[in-house]
Amino acid sequence: MSGVEPFDAVDVIRAQRDRTGLSEDALRWMVDAYTREYVTDAQMSAFAMAVLLNGMERSEIRVLTDAMIATGERMSFAGLGKTTVDKHSTGGVGDKITLPLAPLVASFGVAVPQLSGRGLGHTGGTLDKLESIPGWRAALSNDEMSAQLRDVGAVICAAGSGLAPADKRLYALRDVTGTVEAVPLIASSIMSKKIAEGTASLVLDVKVGSGAFMHDLGKARELAQTMVALGADSGVSTTALITDMDTPLGRAVGNANEVRESVEVLAGGGPADVVELTVALAREMLTLAGRPDVDVEAALRDGRAMDVWRAMIRAQDGDPDAALPTPRETHTVTAAASGTLTRLDAWDVGIAAWRLGAGRARPQDDVAHAAGVQLHVKPGDTVVAGQPIATLGADDASRIPRALEALENAWTIAAPERSRHDNRPLAARSIVLERITA
Ligand code: URA
């Protein structure tokens, strides 16, 4: 754009602050001008805070999402000859579901283009987990990605910088201005990238609980409904599952240990909650892809999903048979009393794994692939005093005391209690709390 700008950032901020009406053109300009670095970080911070405090109409969120998409490239898999379906999780502790899920769905002849990220803070990134496999490469060109989708069916790789660049700047700004939690901003951030990626359909895993962005079911529902509507408006068939993130998923939290657990699921075993969520999301994805009647569990039992996993890892130069790294130092924590494990807090376990080196404090940091927490019990299990609860692993022993501090109040051993979300007994409840459709 050259010459005089058509709007003034201060007017746009005031309109959002006072809710006096934000025109579509003004909103589009704000996003574009921020990406061009005409609108400053200070001005965008004020705007983001006004969005957090006042919310936005659905129509405004749609314009915001479109404006973010328009700042970058749009991919297309139209020439692939197979339908595409993707999954996105809002992020949780021990959330390795993408790893078994992508090959499982692809084993039914559907293409799964999974553009993923690295972790920041207490939730791990899918790419960090896969990079614990010797040789595995996250960066693929668009042509490599299309070829792998055609030949193998599943690809998990790094999102290039060309998709919704406005989101990259805005997300980094939100991270340091207390504005991450705004539903319009989360919804437009996630959906701009997924719509630009060009998938035909999308299943969202919206997490709720102590280890998630959303701590209460009402907010998680609002986020899920907003994103499902954005998908529908853009021609991407979208459904969402709202799932529990009060407790970590599975028994492994880290990187290499999460890959190991994913391979157990692909071999027909693995923890019940990881299998349950993998199968539930696979059913949703296959339904959207026009394959509602297939036997999902059979592909885990008979090795079809494992075959796709091995081909997917090899296609990206990884060795599926290589030994995964193990931590140099370990420390096991035991139960102080006997009873039932009624609570095992996802946030605390996520922080412990992060402090052990499984996550990064700054984007430029490396992760320790072997570091993490291995859980020996799950909520609902009976424990006796002295029984191992968790084993902490790190490459550097000096990290263990701070991780232990994070776990000081991480669990409760008492009489069985009920879920705060749906009042069902903890041991008997399903991980999927709600399903949201357009
Ligand atoms: N994931 C994203 O990509 N964006 C958000 O705002 C939150 C989670």
Side-chain angles (χ1 to χ4, degrees):
M1 201 172 289
S2 63
V4 180
E5 297 283 335
F7 296 95
D8 185 331
V10 179
D11 291 339
V12 177
I13 295 164
R14 282 203 189 102
Q16 177 61 28
R17 182 192 69 189
D18 303 335
R19 298 305 281 147
T20 47
L22 199 54
S23 77
E24 182 170 333
D25 287 346
L27 192 46
R28 284 186 194 279
W29 172 82
M30 186 75 178
V31 173
D32 177 64
Y34 179 59
T35 312
R36 289 187 279 116
E37 299 186 32
Y38 177 81
V39 167
T40 66
D41 278 346
Q43 290 172 319
M44 196 47 131
S45 303
F47 181 76
M49 186 57 80
V51 172
L52 181 128
L53 295 174
N54 294 335
M56 277 183 149
E57 301 293 328
R58 282 274 165 88
S59 56
E60 292 171 320
I61 303 175
R62 184 167 46 71
V63 172
L64 180 62
T65 307
D66 273 358
M68 306 232 285
I69 295 169
T71 61
E73 64 169 323
R74 285 191 83 147
M75 297 175 71
S76 168
F77 300 113
L80 205 59
K82 324 185 198 185
T83 188
T84 47
V85 58
D86 193 5
K87 184 261 332 189
H88 182 86
S89 157
T90 57
V93 176
D95 186 3
K96 73 278 296 170
I97 301 293
T98 294
L99 275 55
L101 180 66
L104 173 60
V105 172
S107 74
F108 291 96
V110 171
V112 185
Q114 177 78 59
L115 297 178
S116 297
R118 291 192 165 73
L120 186 62
H122 77 289
T123 62
T126 298
L127 302 181
D128 296 323
K129 300 180 209 295
L130 284 165
E131 280 173 344
S132 42
I133 301 174
W136 188 84
R137 175 167 72 91
L140 297 185
S141 67
N142 288 0
D143 285 348
E144 283 176 318
M145 193 177 168
S146 293
Q148 189 170 325
L149 280 175
R150 191 187 57 234
D151 301 340
V152 177
V155 58
I156 304 174
C157 65
S161 55
L163 288 183
D167 177 62
K168 216 159 242 132
R169 285 200 74 201
L170 186 53
Y171 190 85
L173 188 71
R174 286 164 57 210
D175 211 18
V176 293
T177 55
T179 52
V180 166
E181 295 86 349
V183 166
L185 299 181
I186 300 177
S188 55
S189 164
I190 293 174
M191 294 306 288
S192 61
K193 288 173 286 195
K194 290 293 157 183
I195 296 165
E197 168 199 292
T199 187
S201 44
L202 175 67
V203 176
L204 298 161
D205 179 3
V206 178
K207 305 280 189 203
V208 60
S210 77
F213 279 125
M214 297 292 150
H215 290 188
D216 76 272
L217 191 53
K219 273 275 180 229
R221 193 181 291 131
E222 184 191 339
L223 177 62
Q225 286 168 341
T226 305
M227 292 196 289
V228 166
L230 283 173
D233 287 348
S234 301
V236 179
S237 316
T238 307
T239 58
L241 298 183
I242 300 179
T243 69
D244 179 84
M245 191 23 77
D246 269 338
T247 203
L249 261 174
R251 290 168 180 269
V253 180
N255 294 297
N257 62 346
E258 293 199 33
V259 173
R260 247 177 242 117
E261 190 168 89
S262 303
V263 171
E264 283 172 28
V265 173
L266 287 159
D273 57 347
V274 179
V275 176
E276 180 191 341
L277 187 52
T278 303
V279 167
L281 289 165
R283 287 211 179 99
E284 291 293 330
M285 290 169 78
L286 287 159
T287 300
L288 289 181
R291 307 289 306 278
D293 301 323
V294 293
D295 183 350
V296 172
E297 279 109 327
L300 290 176
R301 279 194 306 270
D302 65 18
R304 272 177 290 156
M306 180 70 96
D307 290 344
V308 179
W309 161 263
R310 294 174 64 81
M312 178 180 91
I313 297 302
R314 274 206 199 91
Q316 289 171 248
D317 302 330
D319 177 358
D321 298 313
L324 296 171
T326 50
R328 280 197 278 275
E329 309 288 339
T330 60
H331 178 96
T332 296
V333 191
T334 56
S338 300
T340 299
L341 189 81
T342 55
R343 185 183 66 89
L344 178 56
D345 189 78
W347 170 263
D348 291 344
V349 175
I351 296 294
W354 179 49
R355 289 184 179 173
L356 289 165
R360 49 172 73 75
R362 300 170 308 161
Q364 64 270 32
D365 291 347
D366 287 330
V367 301
H369 289 116
V373 177
Q374 197 65 35
L375 301 166
H376 302 297
V377 285
K378 295 277 286 179
D381 287 352
T382 303
V383 295
V384 292
Q387 180 179 336
I389 300 279
T391 298
L392 283 56
D395 286 337
D396 175 353
S398 68
R399 287 181 172 270
I400 290 179
R402 293 258 298 138
L404 284 170
E405 271 172 35
L407 292 178
E408 258 162 27
N409 296 306
W411 53 80
T412 308
I413 297 172
E417 62 183 28
R418 303 175 91 80
S419 161
R420 66 191 180 91
H421 296 307
D422 58 12
N423 203 35
R424 279 186 281 176
L426 258 181
R429 58 205 288 259
S430 160
I431 198 159
V432 177
L433 302 171
E434 284 184 23
R435 178 170 183 267
I436 309 283
T437 57

